[in-house]
Every structure is written in C-alpha cells, then in structure tokens.
Amino acid sequence: MNFRFSRSCGWICKMVFVSFLLLLPTAVLGECTCEIEEEDRNKSLSLKYKLAAIASILVASAIGVCLPVLSKTIPALSPERNFFFITKAFAAGVILSTGFIHVLPDAFENLTSSCISEHPWGDFPFTGFVAMVSAIGTLMVDSYATAYYRKESNSNAHIAIDDKEGVIPVHTHGSISMETYSGDTELLRHRVISQVLELGIIVHSVIIGIALGASESPKTIKPLIAALTFHQFFEGIGLGGCIAQAKFKSRTVATMAIFFSLTTPIGIVIGIGISNIYSETSPTALIVEGIFNSASAGILIYMALVDLLSADFMSPKMQSNGKLQLGANVSLLLGAGCMSLLAKWA
C-alpha cells in the first residue's frame, strides 16, 4: 500500500504545530492598551496549582488517548464492539461542545474586544469567517486525500493476498480487488482524520495552556484544573479511537499520543515562563488567539460532525442495531451536555 500522502499530511501537521509553538509566545507579547481587572493574585499559590495542573492534565491526556489504542489487550475497547461506538459518541459530543461552547465564543470575545482600538476587518464577522474557511479547508484535505489514494489504487492492479505461506502477488480485477481498494481507502481516510483532528485539538490546547500558565489568580486556576482534566481525557478518547481505527505503526501511534499528551502542559509551561511580561489584553495577543481559536473551532466542529459522528451514525452496524443507536445518541447528548456545563467554570 502507498500512504505517501498520509505521511506527508502528518509531517505538515507536525511542522505547523512546531511553528505555532515558536511563534505564539512572541506574538502575544505587547503593550497593554486596556486595563486588566483587579484579581485576587497570589503568585506562589498559583504556581503550586499550575504544577498540579500539569501533572493532572498530562496523566488524564495520556490515559484518554491510550485507552482506545490498547484495544488489543482490552477487548471491550475494540473498534468492533458496541461499547467503542458509545464511548466514541460521548467523546465526539465533548469535542463538538468544545468547538461550539468553549473555543468559538472565546474567539468572538477576543476579536471583538474593546481593547483592539481599530478592527482591521471593521464590522465584518471575521471570527465566523475564519471558522468557516478552516472547516472548508478541512473538508478539502479530507476529500483530496481520499481522491488521491483512490486514483493510486485504481492504477495498480496487483493485489497482495496474505496467506499462511506468506504474501502472494496476483493480478485480478474481481470482487477481491474492489474490496481491497475499499478497505485501503477507508484506512487512509481514518489516518487523515486522526492527523487533522489532532492538529485542531493541539492548537486550542496550547492556547488554553498558555492562558492558564500566565494567570496568577488561584480562583481562576482551581476550577480550570478540573475542567481541563475532564476535557483532555475525553478528547483523548476521541482522538485515540481515530488512531486505533487508522491502524498506524507503533512508532507513529506513540508519537501522536505523546504530541497530544504534552500540548496543554507545554502551553502551561510557556505561560509560566512569560507570565511576567504577558498581557492578555494586548491587541496582538487578542488577534492571534482569536484567529487560532476560530480556526481550531472550525476544524473541531467539522471533524466532530462529519468524520466522527456522521461516519459512525450512518454506518451499517449502527443503522441495523436500534439499541446501539439509542445508546450512542444518549451518549452523544451526555458528552455535549457535560462539556457545556463546564463552560460555567472553564
């Protein structure tokens, strides 16, 4: 099989992430044009909470993303089991709520803030525009990746059939060929889905981490620890489910799991490092955070609705099982509802 496009997509995602980590801290440093509201500040106590947040979020993220990947050792988590569909629906609800209830409203607040004296976009709803463009861009990546591999598959008539003796190359245009192409295309799609989903998650995770790390208010940090731990755990399950279905090699799985687990803690560390010079009301900080939040919201909403929910809810397995369909719908509503309630504290 030829997965060059998928590997290229993975490298692009990693390059974007590294560039994002390098550029964001410098972009958010600027002169403050708005007065920061007085808070109950306690630098030493805040630091203790931040260290606790790093440990808690790191462990929750690692457990969440690894659980579905361990389906070989935990049969209940196998992608073929009903429990996997129900758990994935809950995680998809969490991701959907994250995009609509947490990330997108923050982006609107950032880009319409009175601290930005002159909005370059005027009265144009720039936040929604960026979210829309990022969703369309995600669709294009999804579509072009699938189309690319279908062309590659259709141009190759040699299928490798694996038997007990080894791999035997044969020349065929029959039903086996079509089934193999279909399976390969579906596998590639899962790989693209997992990589794009991880990119969308890590962008907003780093921003959240920087905001927490730069804060010096224990009253702000304490509720965020619980909210973000819950948030990262179930986002990890959603991402881990996609990684498990993509059937990556062990090295790639480990790399993606580590990337996801470390993003928010890295953001917190960056926030701690720039807490003395970081200004959350700087126009530059507001614009940069707003744009990244808008883009990640568009990616998360598209991925949750199209690649996570639609793909599973419209599958023959779900459509032919009324109990599974009911369970998945209830699980979806619970996931979205729980994450929405956390908006009160996060």
Side-chain angles (χ1 to χ4, degrees):
M1 293 188 297
N2 181 0
F3 289 113
R4 288 175 296 175
F5 187 92
S6 179
R7 288 198 293 268
S8 299
C9 181
W11 278 110
I12 292 172
C13 291
K14 292 172 186 176
M15 290 174 63
V16 170
F17 172 65
V18 172
S19 302
F20 171 68
L21 282 181
L22 294 175
L23 296 176
L24 183 59
T26 57
V28 299
L29 303 179
E31 295 182 0
C32 178
T33 59
C34 257
E35 292 295 329
I36 302 176
E37 295 180 3
E38 289 297 323
E39 293 181 291
D40 181 20
R41 298 176 182 275
N42 188 323
K43 193 170 184 178
S44 59
L45 183 60
S46 295
L47 181 59
K48 293 179 181 179
Y49 283 133
K50 292 172 190 177
L51 295 177
I54 291 174
S56 175
I57 293 171
L58 179 62
V59 171
S61 300
I63 293 175
V65 75
C66 288
L67 277 178
V69 176
L70 297 175
S71 58
K72 291 182 179 179
T73 56
I74 307 176
L77 297 175
S78 172
E80 287 76 30
R81 297 294 184 93
N82 291 347
F83 182 74
F84 177 85
F85 281 83
I86 293 174
T87 305
K88 192 177 174 185
F90 186 93
V94 171
I95 294 173
L96 186 62
S97 178
T98 298
F100 273 119
I101 307 299
H102 293 259
V103 184
L104 195 58
D106 286 346
F108 272 106
E109 185 178 348
N110 289 336
L111 295 178
T112 59
S113 173
S114 59
C115 295
I116 304 175
S117 56
E118 294 183 6
H119 296 84
W121 47 87
D123 295 329
F124 183 74
F126 190 63
T127 307
F129 176 76
V130 174
M132 178 187 70
V133 170
S134 69
I136 293 174
T138 308
L139 169 65
M140 289 179 177
V141 171
D142 209 352
S143 175
Y144 281 121
T146 304
Y148 171 86
Y149 189 69
R150 279 179 178 167
K151 290 178 182 178
E152 288 290 312
S153 297
N154 291 332
S155 66
N156 182 10
H158 288 82
I159 308 297
I161 298 179
D162 196 4
D163 71 348
K164 294 180 181 179
E165 300 298 325
V167 177
I168 303 175
V170 298
H171 187 81
T172 177
H173 294 281
S175 60
I176 296 177
S177 173
M178 295 303 296
E179 290 175 3
T180 304
Y181 293 156
S182 177
D184 291 349
T185 301
E186 189 67 19
L187 184 61
L188 174 75
R189 191 162 186 273
H190 283 306
R191 295 189 173 192
V192 174
I193 287 171
S194 60
Q195 291 166 345
V196 177
L197 178 60
E198 178 161 30
L199 178 62
I201 290 174
I202 62 179
V203 168
H204 83 84
S205 293
V206 172
I207 292 174
I208 291 172
I210 290 176
L212 189 152
S215 175
E216 293 181 358
S217 171
K219 290 183 179 180
T220 300
I221 297 172
K222 282 177 66 177
L224 276 175
I225 296 175
L228 292 180
T229 300
F230 175 89
H231 168 268
Q232 290 296 111
F233 176 75
F234 283 102
E235 269 198 349
I237 288 179
L239 177 62
C242 293
I243 293 174
Q245 290 177 308
K247 298 179 181 179
F248 284 113
K249 293 182 179 178
S250 299
R251 183 177 178 180
T252 304
V253 171
T255 301
M256 294 182 72
I258 291 171
F259 255 83
F260 170 76
S261 301
L262 291 178
T263 47
T264 303
I266 287 175
I268 296 173
V269 171
I270 293 174
I272 293 172
I274 65 175
S275 58
N276 292 329
I277 50 178
Y278 173 84
S279 173
E280 62 184 13
T281 56
S282 163
T284 304
L286 290 169
I287 292 173
V288 171
E289 289 180 18
I291 291 174
F292 276 113
N293 274 331
S294 300
S296 62
I299 295 173
L300 293 176
I301 291 169
Y302 171 87
M303 298 300 293
L305 289 173
V306 178
D307 286 330
L308 297 181
L309 294 173
S310 180
D312 286 346
F313 277 60
M314 299 301 173
S315 66
K317 181 180 179 68
M318 184 82 74
Q319 292 288 307
S320 61
N321 190 331
K323 290 183 179 180
L324 176 59
Q325 202 168 17
L326 177 62
N329 278 292
V330 172
S331 183
L332 167 63
L333 293 173
L334 284 174
C338 290
M339 198 63 208
S340 298
L341 289 175
L342 286 176
K344 181 178 179 181
W345 298 283

